[in-house]
């Protein structure tokens, strides 16, 4: 029995009346803890609006830090910090051209995650 803040029975909880066996899925089909923690960490990276804005900017073309900073109205230092997080999560990649570093999305999966997320929130 679950009580709410006023010690009354919480009617919003859905419980099964008995034990049901669903043979169409087995526990082995659920990814292991290490994979699930990695996935949760990936979604945490997407939990920051600034990083999402950077990823959307990079979904159109590769850009250097100064161009991203100008586009988003932020300092280059703030953009560099967020790019470091995105690089560590393998969401962006970079290439050097002389002294300039250009960033782009790491692969098509990142674009797909962004596009599907946007589609979902617009529904």
């Amino acid at each position: 029995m679950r009580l709410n803040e006023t010690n009354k029975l919480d009617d919003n909880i859905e419980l099964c009346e008995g034990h049901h066996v669903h043979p169409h899925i087995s526990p082995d089909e659920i990814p292991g803890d290490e994979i699930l923690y990695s996935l949760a960490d990936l979604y945490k990276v997407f939990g920051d609006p600034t990083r999402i804005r950077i990823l959307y900017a990079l979904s159109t073309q590769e850009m250097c830090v100064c161009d991203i900073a100008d586009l988003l109205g932020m300092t280059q230092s703030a953009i560099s910090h967020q790019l470091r997080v995105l690089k560590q999560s393998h969401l962006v990649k970079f290439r050097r051209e002389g002294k300039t570093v250009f960033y782009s999305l790491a692969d098509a999966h990142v674009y797909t995650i962004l596009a599907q997320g946007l589609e979902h929130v617009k529904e």
Side-chain angles (χ1 to χ4, degrees):
M1 179 166 56
R2 185 167 177 177
L3 301 177
N4 63 21
E5 291 178 15
T6 59
N7 291 328
K8 294 182 181 176
L9 186 59
D10 191 346
D11 295 328
N12 295 326
I13 298 174
E14 296 181 22
L15 300 173
C16 291
E17 293 293 322
H19 181 71
H20 303 280
V21 176
H22 301 283
H24 59 275
I25 187 169
S26 78
D28 294 336
E29 294 177 74
I30 298 173
D33 285 349
E34 186 175 327
I35 296 293
L36 293 177
Y37 284 120
S38 294
L39 182 60
D41 287 342
L42 175 68
Y43 283 124
K44 286 177 190 175
V45 174
F46 281 99
D48 182 89
T50 298
R51 290 192 287 263
I52 296 288
R53 291 172 71 207
I54 292 169
L55 291 171
Y56 269 106
L58 295 176
S59 72
T60 62
Q61 65 185 18
E62 70 174 7
M63 301 175 79
C64 65
V65 174
C66 62
D67 289 340
I68 298 169
D70 287 345
L71 177 67
L72 302 184
M74 298 176 66
T75 65
Q76 289 186 36
S77 177
I79 296 299
S80 291
H81 172 73
Q82 297 301 337
L83 285 168
R84 190 174 312 112
V85 173
L86 293 168
K87 282 191 301 186
Q88 289 171 344
S89 297
H90 308 287
L91 295 173
V92 298
K93 61 184 178 183
F94 66 95
R95 69 175 182 84
R96 288 191 184 278
E97 191 172 295
K99 292 184 177 184
T100 306
V101 178
F102 291 94
Y103 292 87
S104 60
L105 297 184
D107 57 38
H109 293 114
V110 180
Y111 179 82
T112 300
I113 293 167
L114 289 170
Q116 288 183 347
L118 184 60
E119 182 180 331
H120 180 74
V121 298
K122 285 184 172 181
E123 288 180 346

